[in-house]
Amino acid sequence: MLRYMTLMLEYLKNYVKTRLTYRADFWVEVFSDLLGQGMNLVFILVVFQHTPLLGGWSQSEVIFVYGFFMIPFGIFSSFFSIWNFSERYIVKGEMDRVLTRPAHSLFQVLLENIDPPSLVGSFVGAIIMAVCWNDLGLVMHWTDLFVLIVFVIGAVFIYGGIYTGLSAISFFSDSPTGIVPLMYNIQNYGRYPVNIYNKMIRFVLTWMLPFAFVGVIPASYFLAPKDDNIAQLAMLTPVMGAIVFGIGLTVWNIGVKKYRGAGS
């Protein structure tokens, strides 16, 4: 564990050195991320210009859910930025280099693509939650911060497990699968109340592709109970995180064993 922590610090040092050389790129990326998140927030505000409630949820409640959604997504984007894994590591053969080193291959790939500017979105999400918390008049308990941290960690591992598993598909096929962009769009459904969807979509978002656990389900724990069943499901967020990430890591490890090199 100490060796991996040391490696992480070294990768972070290299990242900082690179960004100090290209400082404008850093701020452009931060601005781009904030602009994208801002457009999503504007979309929610536009929706509520036409309806006072969305599936029984008020504007402040939906924005609160969106604020929570931003926190784990920002952390995930910072430490699981492997959108181009197939092209860079399989097609171009960089996976061969990774496998010559003693550290776990996934750990190396993640740190080589670390993207700290995405953490800005997490801070913005926390601010949005705080503003909505006050607007909704929610009571703050001393355990809420601990529960929030546990839920965020669980949500990050759900993201990580799904995208690790999808990236691992590249070990079995050296051509881009096109699944990751599709999944990126599906995950956005998790930031809205699941009761606005039909039963099939709710089932998929809850148990098959559990993106509801990265947004509305854990966020509902802190809101005045709209649906006691959803609030109770929130406690399963860390469990779902462990299961999904375990599956993703297993697929990755199997893929690595099947991998025969760029020239094979």
Side-chain angles (χ1 to χ4, degrees):
M1 181 61 69
L2 180 60
R3 179 165 68 94
Y4 279 94
M5 292 300 296
T6 302
L7 281 174
M8 181 180 293
L9 290 176
E10 291 300 322
Y11 274 106
L12 287 173
K13 288 178 183 178
N14 289 334
Y15 175 86
V16 172
K17 291 177 182 178
T18 302
R19 286 306 187 183
L20 286 176
T21 304
Y22 304 100
R23 300 181 185 181
D25 289 347
F26 175 86
W27 293 111
V28 168
E29 185 175 350
V30 170
F31 176 76
S32 177
D33 288 345
L34 291 178
L35 183 62
Q37 300 294 354
M39 291 301 296
N40 291 329
L41 184 58
V42 168
F43 174 76
I44 294 175
L45 295 176
V46 170
V47 169
F48 278 97
Q49 294 299 312
H50 301 278
T51 179
L53 297 173
L54 184 63
W57 296 64
S58 68
Q59 174 177 292
S60 294
E61 289 170 336
V62 173
I63 294 177
F64 180 91
V65 171
Y66 181 65
F68 179 91
F69 174 89
M70 290 177 65
I71 297 177
F73 182 71
I75 298 173
F76 158 75
S77 298
S78 297
F79 295 99
F80 288 85
S81 184
I82 50 177
W83 314 109
N84 64 339
F85 173 78
S86 177
E87 180 180 356
R88 176 179 174 182
Y89 289 91
I90 305 299
V91 177
K92 295 183 177 179
E94 290 196 30
M95 196 65 194
D96 293 2
R97 168 182 56 81
V98 171
L99 293 176
T100 61
R101 299 171 178 175
H104 193 279
S105 56
L106 178 60
F107 183 80
Q108 294 183 66
V109 170
L110 295 181
L111 289 184
E112 286 183 357
N113 294 277
I114 195 170
D115 187 31
S118 297
L119 286 173
V120 174
S122 296
F123 289 113
V124 173
I127 293 173
I128 291 175
M129 281 188 69
V131 172
C132 292
W133 196 297
N134 181 68
D135 184 54
L136 292 167
L138 302 177
V139 179
M140 171 69 77
H141 300 95
W142 68 271
T143 57
D144 286 339
L145 181 59
F146 172 77
V147 173
L148 175 63
I149 293 173
V150 172
F151 285 174
V152 167
I153 293 174
V156 171
F157 274 94
I158 290 173
Y159 276 126
I162 291 175
Y163 284 98
T164 295
L166 291 177
S167 297
I169 295 176
S170 300
F171 288 119
F172 306 94
S173 172
D174 60 2
S175 61
T177 62
I179 298 178
V180 172
L182 174 63
M183 198 63 60
Y184 186 84
N185 291 324
I186 293 176
Q187 75 181 23
N188 290 325
Y189 288 95
R191 67 188 185 210
Y192 300 111
V194 290
N195 60 314
I196 68 174
Y197 308 122
N198 62 42
K199 291 182 179 180
M200 178 59 70
I201 295 178
R202 288 203 301 268
F203 178 80
V204 171
L205 291 176
T206 304
W207 304 114
M208 294 182 65
L209 298 171
F211 286 121
F213 281 96
V214 305
V216 62
I217 289 179
S220 66
Y221 174 87
F222 304 100
L223 296 171
K226 286 290 181 184
D227 187 329
D228 290 337
N229 292 328
I230 294 180
Q232 291 173 7
L233 279 178
M235 304 306 296
L236 293 178
T237 302
V239 177
M240 292 296 293
I243 293 173
V244 174
F245 187 75
I247 294 173
L249 185 58
T250 299
V251 175
W252 177 279
N253 289 334
I254 293 173
V256 170
K257 292 179 181 178
K258 294 288 185 180
Y259 181 69
R260 292 295 179 265
S264 60

